[in-house]
Amino acid sequence: MRIFEYGEPTAPTLLLIHGFQSPFCVWDKYVEHYAKRFHLVVPILDGHDPDSPSDFISFEKCAAEIEEYLNGREVFAVYAMSMGGVLAATLLKRGRVKFKKAILESSPLLSYNPIVAAYITRFYLSVTQKTKKRDEKTLKNAARLVREEQYDDFIRVLDNMSDATIRNCISGIKAFKLPTDLDLSATELTYIYGGKEVFFGKIAKFIKKHYPHASIIKIDGKGHCEDALLCPEIRIGDLDKIL
C-alpha cells in the first residue's frame, strides 16, 4: 500500500479512504481544498494502484498497515467512500486509531447474503475483464463513473486489478457487519447516503438504532457516492459543515 501526505504536518490529521475500483485521483479536489487546513493522509489501497500491481488481501491487513504507518499519531477525522468505509469501520473496531470524527459515505456496513455476493463478484469480474479488452459499451459506462480528467487513471486501475483483488474485496464486504458495541463515546459518527440507495438506507437505520447519537445525511435523488465522485465541490461543502 502506498500512502501519501499533504498539507502542514502539524495541522490536525484527516485520513481519506477511497472506495472499490476508485482511482486515487478522486481525491484531487479534496486535497486541493483541505491541504490548507489539515494534514492529509491518503492511501492507495492494495490492488488499486494504477502504477504498481498488487493484490488486496483483507481489510484487516490494510487496517494493520495504516495503523503501523500512523504509529500512534492522533487522527482528527476520517472520510471514507463506499468500500473505504468498511476499512474505516475496521479501524474503529480494532481501536488502535482514535478518530474524533468518522464520516462514512454509502459504505456497505451490513453483510451481503451469499447469493448477492456471488452475483456482485461475477459482475465485477466480467466488467473488469471487458474493460481490459476495451469493450466499447463497457468503456462508455465506465466514463460515467468518474470525472473526465480521471478516466485514464480509472482504466489503469482496472487494467492492474487482479481477479483475486475483486474476490477478496467482495468476500470481505460479505463477511463484515458493523458491531453494535463500538465505543464511540469520543467519536462523532456521520453516515451519508443517496436517496436512490435502498440497501444503504437500511444501513443508515441500523446505525441510528444502535448509535442514536450518529448523524444521518440522506442526499435525495442521488446514487452511489454520486456527488462525492462527480461533483466534489458539493461534497466538500457538506464536509466543511461537519469538519
Side-chain angles (χ1 to χ4, degrees):
M1 179 191 301
R2 287 199 292 165
I3 300 178
F4 297 86
E5 299 189 37
Y6 306 92
E8 174 54 51
T10 60
T13 296
L14 172 60
L15 174 64
L16 301 175
I17 307 178
H18 66 76
F20 178 60
Q21 293 196 335
S22 288
F24 175 76
C25 59
V26 297
W27 296 122
D28 285 354
K29 296 295 183 181
Y30 297 85
V31 169
E32 180 182 337
H33 181 78
Y34 285 115
K36 304 168 187 175
R37 178 180 169 192
F38 292 104
H39 172 223
L40 301 175
V41 176
V42 192
I44 301 181
L45 301 186
D46 293 338
H48 291 75
D49 197 318
D51 300 314
S52 180
S54 63
D55 288 335
F56 177 95
I57 303 301
S58 69
F59 291 106
E60 291 287 340
K61 178 178 181 294
C62 287
E65 289 184 30
I66 290 174
E67 290 164 354
E68 181 179 3
Y69 184 86
L70 291 171
N71 192 29
R73 187 185 315 172
E74 181 178 338
V75 177
F76 175 72
V78 57
Y79 171 53
M81 294 185 198
S82 191
M83 184 193 78
V86 177
L87 177 52
T90 300
L91 288 166
L92 287 169
K93 179 181 176 181
R94 289 164 64 92
R96 295 175 178 85
V97 180
K98 304 298 183 183
F99 304 101
K100 291 186 178 180
K101 297 176 184 287
I103 307 157
L104 314 181
E105 176 155 0
S106 295
S107 299
L109 303 178
L110 295 178
S111 306
Y112 288 154
N113 71 54
I115 295 175
V116 172
Y119 170 80
I120 293 173
T121 301
R122 289 195 301 270
F123 172 80
Y124 279 111
L125 286 170
S126 174
V127 167
T128 303
Q129 288 302 320
K130 288 179 180 178
T131 300
K132 292 178 180 181
K133 294 176 182 178
R134 299 300 187 262
D135 175 74
E136 184 176 351
K137 182 178 179 181
T138 303
L139 293 178
K140 285 183 179 179
N141 289 333
R144 301 188 184 102
L145 301 177
V146 293
R147 302 199 313 276
E148 183 178 357
E149 65 271 22
Q150 299 173 345
Y151 175 79
D152 288 344
D153 275 352
F154 178 37
I155 298 302
R156 288 167 61 212
V157 168
L158 297 189
D159 282 344
N160 276 335
M161 184 165 286
S162 67
D163 289 357
T165 286
I166 295 171
R167 294 184 187 279
N168 290 340
C169 284
I170 304 303
S171 177
I173 293 171
K174 180 188 76 172
F176 186 85
K177 182 178 180 180
L178 184 71
T180 59
D181 58 352
L182 291 176
D183 181 7
L184 298 182
S185 57
T187 303
E188 296 177 19
L189 176 62
T190 300
Y191 191 78
I192 304 171
Y193 72 103
K196 295 180 180 180
E197 301 181 289
V198 176
F199 176 66
F200 297 97
K202 294 179 180 179
I203 295 172
K205 291 180 180 178
F206 176 89
I207 291 173
K208 198 63 179 176
K209 175 182 177 180
H210 296 286
Y211 300 99
H213 296 295
S215 297
I216 305 298
I217 300 176
K218 178 182 178 182
I219 311 297
D220 290 332
K222 297 293 182 177
H224 190 68
C225 295
E226 185 174 337
D227 285 340
L229 293 171
L230 301 178
C231 304
E233 65 279 359
I234 294 177
R235 183 59 72 250
I236 287 170
D238 296 329
L239 292 176
D240 282 345
K241 299 172 185 177
I242 300 170
L243 295 171

